Amino acid sequence: MNDILIVDRLTLRRGNFLLEDVSLSVSEQEIVALIGKTGAGKTVLLETIAGFNKPDCGSVLYQGREIASIPIEQRNIGYLYQDYSLFPYMTAGKNIGYCLKMRGCPRQEIRRQVLEMAERFGITGILQQYPGTLSGGEQQRVALARALMMRPRLLILDEPFSALDPVTKRRLYGMIREIRDQFECSILFVTHDFQEAQELADRVGVLIGGKLQGIVASSDLFRADWNDNTRVFLGLEESS
Ligand SMILES: Nc1ncnc2c1ncn2[C@@H]1O[C@H](COP(=O)(O)OP(=O)(O)OP(=O)(O)O)[C@@H](O)[C@H]1O
Ligand SMILES: [Mg+2]
């Protein structure tokens, strides 16, 4: 399988925090989960992969090109922020259509595509509402719809399910695979929930203190040959 994303020995300092020597790859239409404690550097890593931060060392190749060398409007990576980061002064519909508007797409066409996407996510009834009036689950679906509008080949999701109730979560689990199949994209997502990572992802990576401890097939998450730190993190061993 072809790799859509290759991260090679990525190092980045942010204040006192060091993301150190991270290497990983994501193949076409693969779903990869990243798990790690709060403050482990998951968001910093995702943001660097998406090209928002310039690495101090190492490289991020997206579709064979260094991410920083790809003009922003051609990057075509869908990004769901940890807090969804919807534009507060735009309606949900305008949020979803924003990137098409930026690219000069005609208004009628934007409206058609926004409606089509909204139907897919069951949010046609809230398109006129502003983000501040939406529930967490609604905001999440609007943000997902917005991230998918450009038909990205890579979708990056920073804790997409953490603010949702268990029933909504379950429903969205199914949607992640559907999105992968229908949009033919790869998905890299962060979660705190080991079961969720195992259930949704093909492979799972563990990040501790800015270092990637490894990436294994999800079925091997609890039986791989991890170091002591990772075994403690996964609850396989008591900390000493
Ligand atoms: N701009 C910055 N300046 C200084 N430190 C930063 C900056 N951005 C991030 N950090 C630090 O980097 C570390 C990793 O942050 P990051 O947001 O990636 O953690 P995380 O793994 O996503 O945690 P969480 O699970 O809570 O979202 C934290 O200690 C954070 O304070
Ligand atoms: Mg984070």
Side-chain angles (χ1 to χ4, degrees):
M1 252 199 291
N2 287 333
D3 289 331
I4 189 154
L5 176 76
I6 301 174
V7 177
D8 186 35
R9 310 204 66 174
L10 186 70
T11 296
L12 176 103
R13 182 172 282 286
R14 272 277 173 275
N16 292 325
F17 174 76
L18 185 65
L19 188 68
E20 203 178 348
D21 210 20
V22 172
S23 297
L24 64 92
S25 62
V26 178
S27 345
E28 277 179 14
Q29 298 196 39
E30 187 181 28
I31 303 183
V32 174
L34 280 177
I35 55 178
K37 277 188 205 155
T38 177
K42 304 178 298 296
T43 297
V44 170
L45 175 57
L46 293 188
E47 288 177 349
T48 311
I49 287 173
F52 305 156
N53 305 321
K54 191 175 169 309
D56 295 322
C57 273
S59 62
V60 176
L61 289 186
Y62 175 57
Q63 296 187 301
R65 292 168 74 190
E66 184 65 49
I67 188 78
S69 75
I70 309 174
I72 289 173
E73 67 280 5
Q74 287 174 27
R75 274 188 200 161
N76 207 13
I77 293 178
Y79 197 99
L80 183 89
Y81 294 86
Q82 190 162 358
D83 58 1
Y84 308 141
S85 288
L86 293 170
F87 307 121
Y89 303 110
M90 277 183 209
T91 61
K94 291 268 188 314
N95 263 279
I96 298 171
Y98 179 76
C99 55
L100 291 181
K101 186 163 179 235
M102 284 296 103
R103 287 173 200 212
C105 190
R107 207 183 320 163
Q108 280 304 322
E109 180 57 19
I110 298 178
R111 194 171 299 163
R112 190 189 68 73
Q113 289 199 34
V114 167
L115 261 181
E116 186 188 305
M117 190 64 82
E119 268 161 25
R120 180 188 294 273
F121 286 100
I123 48 173
T124 44
I126 57 156
L127 290 179
Q128 299 308 321
Q129 283 178 236
Y130 285 86
T133 70
L134 299 173
S135 74
E138 288 166 346
Q139 287 184 45
Q140 199 257 16
R141 279 176 288 163
V142 171
L144 251 184
R146 184 176 67 176
L148 282 167
M149 273 311 262
M150 295 312 295
R151 305 288 196 268
R153 302 304 313 280
L154 173 65
L155 185 61
I156 295 181
L157 310 171
D158 196 350
E159 297 195 31
F161 310 110
S162 55
L164 305 177
D165 68 83
V167 176
T168 312
K169 237 186 230 188
R170 282 259 136 233
R171 228 180 21 234
L172 280 160
Y173 283 179
M175 274 179 71
I176 291 296
R177 288 232 178 74
E178 239 174 75
I179 287 171
R180 186 262 307 266
D181 296 343
Q182 291 176 8
F183 289 82
E184 297 182 343
C185 59
S186 310
I187 299 178
L188 175 62
F189 76 101
V190 158
T191 177
H192 282 280
D193 183 329
F194 303 160
Q195 267 66 42
E196 184 175 291
Q198 263 203 315
E199 195 174 325
L200 287 179
D202 301 307
R203 287 187 301 147
V204 182
V206 180
L207 192 68
I208 297 182
K211 287 191 191 153
L212 190 66
Q213 309 297 311
I215 295 201
V216 298
S218 16
S219 51
D220 290 337
L221 180 61
F222 293 108
R223 54 181 194 213
D225 187 19
W226 295 112
N227 60 26
D228 290 348
N229 264 349
T230 312
R231 290 182 61 76
V232 170
F233 169 67
L234 290 170
L236 297 168
E237 216 167 86
E238 298 273 306
S239 63
S240 49

